[in-house]
Amino acid sequence: MSTNPAENPAFASHDHSDCVERVLATAETLCKDRKVRLTPIRRQALEILISEHKALGAYDILAELSARGQAAHPPVAYRALDFLVTHGLAHKIERLAAYVACAHPGERHRPAFLICRICQLVAEAHVPNNEGALGSAAKALGFQIEETVIEAEGICPECQKAAA
């Protein structure tokens, strides 16, 4: 699991504009290489997710799109989010029925999500499928893991400081 704050910026102080620029540039390149369109709505939805580092629901995205002057309806937000997830630009946080921007778009990885139960920030870490207790248990049963979704809820460093 990556513990470098530069690789998991959600819980570290950093320049959000750098996140936005880096991920949007990567997204544009990926979409061009895959011959799919990063439409203005899809791009804005991704930008909203990147800038927050929080899990946002479709209606949160919809509200922000409307605030930006987009005439958006729920299917528009859901279609944009489905596109982003399908192309590895965002992840769905099942526990929250919400979405976060992928911290490492274009890279093959197995994300694990660390969700602060107080401020709702979400950090993305990497956990190999076939290692650790789960990998050992699967191997003992002859089971081949193809995909895992790991979501851990706790308290981020800033919220721990505030509570102290």
Side-chain angles (χ1 to χ4, degrees):
M1 179 186 296
S2 177
T3 56
N4 180 346
E7 294 176 19
N8 295 302
F11 296 153
S13 179
H14 67 286
D15 180 0
H16 286 295
S17 63
D18 181 56
C19 292
V20 173
E21 290 174 23
R22 179 181 55 81
V23 173
L24 287 177
T26 301
E28 288 171 0
T29 300
L30 287 172
C31 288
K32 183 178 178 184
D33 291 348
R34 295 173 182 171
K35 296 177 178 27
V36 295
R37 290 190 58 227
L38 187 62
T39 64
I41 294 286
R42 293 169 178 169
R43 188 178 197 286
Q44 285 184 46
L46 181 57
E47 184 178 351
I48 292 164
L49 290 174
I50 299 164
S51 63
E52 290 293 324
H53 288 301
K54 291 184 179 183
L56 299 173
Y59 283 90
D60 298 320
I61 300 296
L62 188 61
E64 182 60 28
L65 289 171
S66 294
R68 293 179 176 201
Q70 295 290 336
H73 303 287
V76 171
Y78 282 108
R79 281 193 298 266
L81 290 165
D82 285 344
F83 174 89
L84 297 174
V85 169
T86 297
H87 293 283
L89 301 171
H91 301 288
K92 185 171 184 185
I93 306 295
E94 298 294 335
R95 176 178 184 80
L96 304 174
Y99 301 82
V100 293
C102 179
H104 304 283
E107 297 177 20
R108 287 187 53 83
H109 61 284
R110 306 279 188 215
F113 303 102
L114 308 173
I115 307 162
C116 180
R117 68 174 170 80
I118 296 172
C119 70
Q120 299 300 304
L121 285 179
V122 177
E124 179 182 328
H126 299 243
V127 179
N129 268 352
N130 296 317
E131 294 181 13
L134 181 61
S136 296
K139 186 175 182 180
L141 294 171
F143 185 82
Q144 180 180 348
I145 297 174
E146 293 180 346
E147 183 177 356
T148 58
V149 177
I150 300 171
E151 299 175 1
E153 187 175 81
I155 304 173
C156 75
E158 286 301 312
C159 290
Q160 289 176 51
K161 286 180 199 173

